[in-house]
Amino acid sequence: MTTDNPTTDDPFADIRPYNNAEAPEVFARLGADPELVDSLARLRLPRLLRWAPPLARSLVRRWLAGQVASLKTVEDLQLSIVKPELEKVIAKTTTFTTSGLEKLDAASSWLFISNHRDIVMDPALANYALHRAGHRTLSIAIGNNLLQKPWVADLMRLNKSFIVRRDVQGPRELLAASRQLSAYIRHMISDDVGPVWLAQREGRAKDGRDATEPAVIKMLSLSRDKRTESVGETLAALKIVPLAISYEVDPCDTLKAAELAAGPDYRKRPFEDVASIGKGISGYKGCVHLAFGEPIVDPDLDVDGVVAAIDQQISTLYALFPTNLWAWEMLHGEAPPASLPVRLGVVQRHTFEERIRECPESLRPWLLAMYANPVDTALAHRPEVL
């Protein structure tokens, strides 16, 4: 949302992305943020920071000031900074393909509900695919648990992220926050402000089993006018498009396996998500495929019906790679049905098997299941392959 005339009675001011009128002040704030300077110094000048910290910080501060001085709008940030950096990441870490996007009107605002595997790369790749196809860029839902540092929150909101409050206490507060979020998403779609990306569940599907949380769809239905709309009409008006994102290799697979093995008592270390973000961005992914589905606009579907429709499309659209089949075979001792549709990958079997062997033995079953579970999902939703 990049309107240029913010009002004092903006009902979404505390969760929406920053707009172009607010951007210069936020850019100036970022340019003077010492934590951002330190973070960039660790990334760009790690050796100099170790031996001459004042010099490293001074150089980064001057570089950052130069970058910030050239940025005036949200679009400046996305086109001048985010897009070139993302293209470098894609070139180094993945072979990137899409399907289905050509069927969607680039002038329309769609609510893309996606399976969720990587904190940053899922919406970033969806955004890149849309931009490349001539669509407007996304407004992206992000939990405030990922915005623990002020400069991170500023940067994400400049890049068209809106906040999903995960720290709400009490049923009344939760309902109020859910209604505000629902109203904001409805505003984005119904007022044709631009497309929106939303994960089908809270948190990543670390075990590889993609399923829509009914609570997400119930939240979306809270924007309805009970006097004039049914739940189905409200959900149909949001123009939901399922999006299936498939990674041939998950850079965070061992980290996820360790978390799964630890069970429900697992407690994340401070800023553990930040480490996952870095690994997910820089790690090798092999092929990544984004499959855009058909709009769900049937006003007769209730919450459960929309959940089922999203799950059916994502399971059908999800691109299986040979890595998924190899993992399934290693777990079950036999090959899955040969009629399963499989997308050509770039990872060799011996390379994948070496990746599994390098994982601690206690975590290997979890790691293999993570890759194999999408095969089970495909078998459950595609009876024709059995």
Side-chain angles (χ1 to χ4, degrees):
M1 181 179 182
T2 53
T3 56
D4 292 319
N5 297 301
T7 61
T8 55
D9 58 348
D10 183 350
F12 310 121
D14 58 334
I15 65 167
R16 63 163 171 77
Y18 292 128
N19 57 48
N20 283 339
E22 298 162 328
E25 179 183 342
V26 183
F27 284 131
R29 188 161 68 229
L30 285 170
D33 191 293
E35 286 197 353
L36 176 56
V37 169
D38 277 353
S39 297
L40 289 171
R42 285 194 296 271
L43 178 67
R44 303 178 71 89
L45 300 172
R47 292 183 181 179
L48 186 60
L49 182 64
R50 189 181 310 119
W51 297 108
L55 177 59
R57 292 188 180 101
S58 177
L59 291 173
V60 167
R61 199 175 290 109
R62 289 169 58 186
W63 174 85
L64 182 59
Q67 294 291 315
V68 167
S70 66
L71 302 175
K72 305 300 181 186
T73 68
V74 170
E75 291 76 17
D76 289 342
L77 174 69
Q78 292 194 321
L79 294 176
S80 300
I81 304 294
V82 177
K83 180 173 178 275
E85 292 300 319
L86 181 58
E87 287 176 335
K88 291 177 186 176
V89 168
I90 291 172
K92 289 180 180 179
T93 70
T94 186
T95 301
F96 177 56
T97 56
T98 67
S99 61
L101 194 49
E102 69 282 354
K103 299 177 183 178
L104 299 174
D105 182 3
S108 292
S109 297
W110 306 101
L111 171 54
F112 295 101
I113 296 187
S114 166
N115 64 328
H116 194 22
R117 298 302 176 82
D118 187 88
I119 295 171
V120 167
M121 293 307 297
D122 289 353
L125 290 172
N127 222 2
Y128 183 70
L130 289 169
H131 174 73
R132 193 171 61 175
H135 290 245
R136 288 169 288 177
T137 54
L138 293 160
S139 289
I140 298 165
I142 184 170
N144 65 342
N145 57 300
L146 300 174
L147 307 177
Q148 298 173 17
K149 292 184 178 294
W151 69 265
V152 175
D154 276 348
L155 194 56
M156 296 302 289
R157 293 181 72 182
L158 277 172
N159 195 34
K160 296 179 72 172
S161 292
F162 60 95
I163 297 171
V164 179
R165 295 178 61 194
R166 307 280 194 214
D167 58 350
V168 179
Q169 301 293 327
R172 289 185 179 180
E173 292 77 7
L174 177 60
L175 180 59
S178 298
R179 282 178 169 161
Q180 181 191 35
L181 180 61
S182 181
Y184 175 71
I185 294 172
R186 178 70 178 267
H187 157 67
M188 292 294 295
I189 304 303
S190 296
D191 294 346
D192 199 23
V193 181
V196 173
W197 182 92
L198 181 66
Q200 67 179 163
R201 49 168 291 163
E202 179 181 339
R204 295 165 292 166
K206 300 179 184 70
D207 61 0
R209 296 189 182 277
D210 299 315
T212 305
E213 284 185 352
V216 172
I217 308 305
K218 288 179 182 177
M219 176 276 293
L220 293 173
S221 73
L222 293 176
S223 66
R224 78 183 179 102
D225 185 336
K226 294 181 180 180
R227 300 166 299 176
T228 60
E229 281 184 323
S230 67
V231 168
E233 289 169 335
T234 299
L235 296 174
L238 292 172
K239 299 191 293 185
I240 294 170
V241 176
L243 169 58
I245 303 178
S246 313
Y247 293 82
E248 186 178 13
V249 173
D250 186 339
C252 297
D253 52 10
T254 302
L255 296 176
K256 292 178 180 178
E259 186 171 339
L260 291 167
D265 294 332
Y266 182 82
R267 294 293 179 268
K268 289 183 179 180
R269 299 181 304 276
F271 305 113
E272 184 174 330
D273 283 331
V274 176
S276 293
I277 287 172
K279 197 172 184 67
I281 292 172
S282 62
Y284 183 67
K285 304 163 188 63
C287 291
V288 179
H289 185 73
L290 272 65
F292 293 83
E294 300 283 343
I296 299 173
V297 292
D298 184 350
D300 293 326
L301 292 179
D302 60 8
V303 168
D304 290 340
V306 171
V307 168
I310 294 170
D311 286 349
Q312 179 62 45
Q313 286 204 42
I314 288 179
S315 65
T316 303
L317 292 167
Y318 190 92
L320 294 174
F321 290 105
T323 49
N324 302 113
L325 273 63
W326 297 332
W328 198 92
E329 182 178 343
M330 294 168 75
L331 272 180
H332 296 276
E334 61 178 337
S339 53
L340 270 174
V342 181
R343 196 170 187 88
L344 186 65
V346 295
V347 175
Q348 299 297 310
R349 179 160 187 161
H350 68 86
T351 303
F352 180 72
E353 291 178 346
E354 179 63 24
R355 185 183 190 90
I356 301 300
R357 285 193 295 270
E358 289 176 353
C359 176
E361 187 173 357
S362 62
L363 301 182
R364 287 176 197 166
W366 300 96
L367 188 66
L368 287 170
M370 186 187 312
Y371 285 98
N373 283 338
V375 177
D376 287 333
T377 300
L379 292 173
H381 285 84
R382 304 177 190 180
E384 71 276 5
V385 305
L386 296 174

